Amino acid sequence: MNLNNKSTDKLNDEIKFLQVRITELEKTEKNHRYTDELLRKTELQQKAILNTIPDMAWLKDKESKFIAVNDAFGMACGYKPEELVGKTDLDIWPRELAEKYRADDREVMLLGKRKSVDEPLEDKDGRIIWIETIKTPVHNDKGEIIGTTGIARNITERKKYEERLREAKAELEIRVKVRTADLSKINEDYKKEITETKKLSAKLEENERFLASIFSSIQDGISVLNKDMDIVRVNSVMEKWFDFSMPLVGKKCYKAYHCANIPCEKCPSRDALQKGKPSYELIPKKDKKGNTVGWFDVFAFPLFSATTNELMGTIEYVHDVTERRKTEEQVINSEFRFRELFNNISSGVAVYKTENEGNDFIFVDFNRSAERIEGVKRKDIIGRNVAEVFPSIKETGLLDIFRKVWKTGKPLAQTATYYKNKNIPGWRENFVYKLPTGE
């Protein structure tokens, strides 16, 4: 009888122990699912942010193989982003350029420092453009360099005037073992679940570091807002621009960025939230007193939940265009001054474009003094051949001077010559110049 009671007690103890183990495994499985969902949301957020960058952006591993690129990168080289995963620069660009890009990668990983360089790029149509490339080393949690990230912006226009994310994609397979009544199998599964959870946590931390690295690599402002216009996340560029409103996270965007108590009249994020589509506005840059000190191009992209497709907020991409605006204003003022001088100078001035390899000269402009001297109206001759309007230009030799100046680029003068103009005949002195534009 006592022997039976002892056996029963021992069995009850084992059952209780087994129940405790099962409860622990269920908790581990729940934590595993939570970590997996958090990882998936982080990767989708990375993908959304990477694709909102209008510039070319990419992520490479230590062997300079592409891990992820954005749509702008794919359009530049004529591939779909997913087709570029695992490829190298040698598979995409001309060899001379590809070798240079790879050498830059090696330098960045060797020195462990960010590198910025202006360099040529041949796009999918064979056109050579200039890009400003910023490459940054990427570290793991041990501080080891495991690859590079890059951002490239088209600066061709800037080169002309001067003389002018990683789409995170990882495949992760998760398998959860079904619990059994066998205690040893439960213990084995329990240990496997703990190991998998640690791996997922490490992957989550790595993805967060990648996201932070991409944020810091972008040289324009990035601001993530929720549906209530509260700032959820910003990069260091936004913190630098709006240091007088720090900390930015948690504040209303219009309060932090514009020192206002109500939403802006023109707000691309509000428009994106209402329409569920990307929106753009040219927004004034404010100082801490609310004064306008510059201008921003602001692109707002709606941010949707990966699971419910519910609109969660917006991602704002902010580019400082203050210098561009100043240049545009200077150009407008310069054109105005030129037009006033052109119209009010006492000498007659005509501007021609050339056709037929410099043999024909077509009127494109004619000032008021020229109208008075020649007795014709500007509106009647614009777009016409000079030899048709003034036939005597051939016999006086002026047409030959036009052709010679167009070929050599050197100015020539024609001494006083009598013209048989049917409207106002008389003596004319002519000075012929070739403009930098070819006119």
Side-chain angles (χ1 to χ4, degrees):
M1 185 67 175
N2 292 334
L3 181 61
N4 290 335
N5 288 337
K6 289 181 180 180
S7 298
T8 302
D9 292 339
K10 184 177 179 181
L11 179 60
N12 288 336
D13 290 341
E14 289 179 351
I15 291 174
K16 289 179 181 179
F17 179 74
L18 181 60
Q19 288 174 339
V20 170
R21 285 296 191 182
I22 291 173
T23 301
E24 291 174 346
L25 183 59
E26 289 175 341
K27 290 181 179 179
T28 300
E29 182 181 354
K30 182 178 180 182
N31 290 336
H32 181 76
R33 289 197 301 269
Y34 173 77
T35 303
D36 179 45
E37 179 64 19
L38 187 58
L39 174 62
R40 190 161 64 89
K41 289 183 178 179
T42 300
E43 291 175 339
L44 290 171
Q45 185 184 33
Q46 285 180 299
K47 180 179 179 182
I49 291 174
L50 190 61
N51 275 326
T52 60
I53 302 172
D55 299 325
M56 296 169 56
W58 65 89
L59 178 66
K60 295 181 181 178
D61 62 18
K62 201 169 183 178
E63 297 177 354
S64 288
K65 293 181 180 180
F66 289 101
I67 297 175
V69 302
N70 67 352
D71 291 335
F73 189 101
M75 291 177 64
C77 60
Y79 288 87
K80 295 179 180 179
E82 58 270 18
E83 294 174 341
L84 295 171
V85 175
K87 293 184 181 293
T88 71
D89 291 306
L90 294 170
D91 301 316
I92 302 170
W93 314 113
R95 187 172 189 85
E96 182 179 354
L97 293 178
E99 291 289 3
K100 183 180 183 303
Y101 301 155
R102 289 168 62 83
D104 289 339
D105 291 342
R106 291 192 293 272
E107 180 182 342
V108 168
M109 290 187 285
L110 178 63
L111 299 179
K113 295 180 179 180
R114 177 183 298 173
K115 181 175 183 179
S116 177
V117 62
D118 293 352
E119 56 191 356
L121 180 142
E122 184 175 329
D123 67 13
K124 63 180 180 179
D125 299 319
R127 296 174 300 182
I128 300 297
I129 64 173
W130 279 90
I131 57 174
E132 178 186 34
T133 302
I134 300 172
K135 293 186 176 181
T136 306
V138 177
H139 301 79
N140 62 14
D141 56 351
K142 298 179 181 179
E144 299 169 338
I145 294 177
I146 59 174
T148 60
T149 61
I151 299 288
R153 172 175 298 163
N154 188 331
I155 59 169
T156 304
E157 290 303 317
R158 191 185 80 185
K159 282 288 184 180
K160 289 181 180 179
Y161 276 106
E162 287 178 351
E163 152 184 350
R164 280 206 118 52
L165 185 280
R166 165 186 179 183
E167 182 188 17
K169 185 176 182 179
E171 295 181 357
L172 186 62
E173 295 182 354
I174 303 170
R175 294 185 300 173
V176 179
K177 300 294 183 179
V178 179
R179 61 182 179 269
T180 66
D182 185 10
L183 181 59
S184 61
K185 186 64 171 64
I186 291 177
N187 285 331
E188 181 183 346
D189 289 346
Y190 179 63
K191 292 177 181 179
K192 288 182 179 180
E193 292 298 332
I194 291 176
T195 301
E196 287 297 317
T197 300
K198 288 180 178 180
K199 288 181 180 180
L200 288 172
S201 296
K203 186 65 177 179
L204 180 61
E205 292 175 2
E206 182 181 347
N207 284 345
E208 178 61 26
R209 284 192 297 275
F210 280 142
L211 179 60
S213 178
I214 292 172
F215 257 62
S216 64
S217 297
I218 298 171
Q219 300 303 295
D220 289 322
I222 296 290
S223 177
V224 182
L225 310 178
N226 63 19
K227 291 194 297 184
D228 296 323
M229 311 297 282
D230 298 316
I231 301 171
V232 177
R233 185 167 188 169
V234 296
N235 66 348
S236 58
V237 175
M238 294 296 286
E239 292 176 340
K240 179 180 178 181
W241 284 341
F242 301 99
D243 56 354
F244 54 84
S245 290
M246 291 291 290
L248 299 176
V249 174
K251 292 181 179 178
K252 298 293 185 183
C253 60
Y254 48 83
K255 181 68 175 178
Y257 301 149
H258 303 284
C259 302
N261 294 319
I262 58 175
C264 304
E265 181 178 351
K266 293 183 177 180
C267 177
S269 279
R270 184 172 59 184
D271 188 57
L273 288 171
Q274 291 174 349
K275 298 179 181 179
K277 297 180 179 180
S279 182
Y280 160 80
E281 286 289 349
L282 179 65
I283 301 296
K285 180 181 180 181
K286 301 287 188 177
D287 61 14
K288 62 182 178 180
K289 295 181 180 180
N291 299 316
T292 298
V293 295
W295 295 90
F296 288 129
D297 272 343
V298 180
F299 302 85
F301 302 87
L303 184 61
F304 295 94
S305 168
T307 55
T308 65
N309 204 35
E310 179 185 358
L311 184 60
M312 301 171 58
T314 64
I315 301 174
E316 289 186 337
Y317 186 89
V318 185
H319 180 53
D320 191 333
V321 295
T322 303
E323 292 303 318
R324 189 191 76 191
R325 291 272 297 182
K326 289 180 180 178
T327 300
E328 291 173 350
E329 291 174 0
Q330 291 172 357
V331 170
I332 292 172
N333 291 334
S334 176
E335 290 179 348
F336 176 77
R337 288 193 295 271
F338 169 77
R339 177 55 60 181
E340 288 298 304
L341 177 64
F342 182 80
N343 284 330
N344 292 286
I345 192 172
S346 60
S347 299
V349 180
V351 181
Y352 309 90
K353 69 177 180 179
T354 59
E355 292 183 354
N356 192 21
E357 298 184 351
N359 288 309
D360 297 324
F361 297 84
I362 310 301
F363 283 104
V364 295
D365 215 339
F366 205 69
N367 74 348
R368 296 168 184 165
S369 294
E371 288 181 321
R372 174 179 52 78
I373 293 170
E374 300 297 345
V376 295
K377 293 295 184 181
R378 178 182 182 279
K379 65 181 179 64
D380 296 329
I381 65 172
I382 295 301
R384 296 174 61 188
N385 193 314
V386 64
E388 174 192 347
V389 179
F390 301 114
S392 61
I393 193 174
K394 297 179 181 178
E395 61 188 63
T396 60
L398 184 57
L399 184 58
D400 291 333
I401 292 177
F402 277 15
R403 292 167 176 167
K404 187 177 295 184
V405 170
W406 184 83
K407 289 181 179 180
T408 65
K410 297 179 179 180
L412 291 175
Q414 184 185 50
T415 57
T417 304
Y418 188 81
Y419 283 83
K420 299 176 182 179
N421 186 334
K422 65 180 180 179
N423 296 317
I424 305 178
W427 294 86
R428 310 278 195 275
E429 279 186 326
N430 286 286
F431 301 89
V432 184
Y433 307 87
K434 186 176 181 180
L435 301 177
T437 58
E439 297 169 311

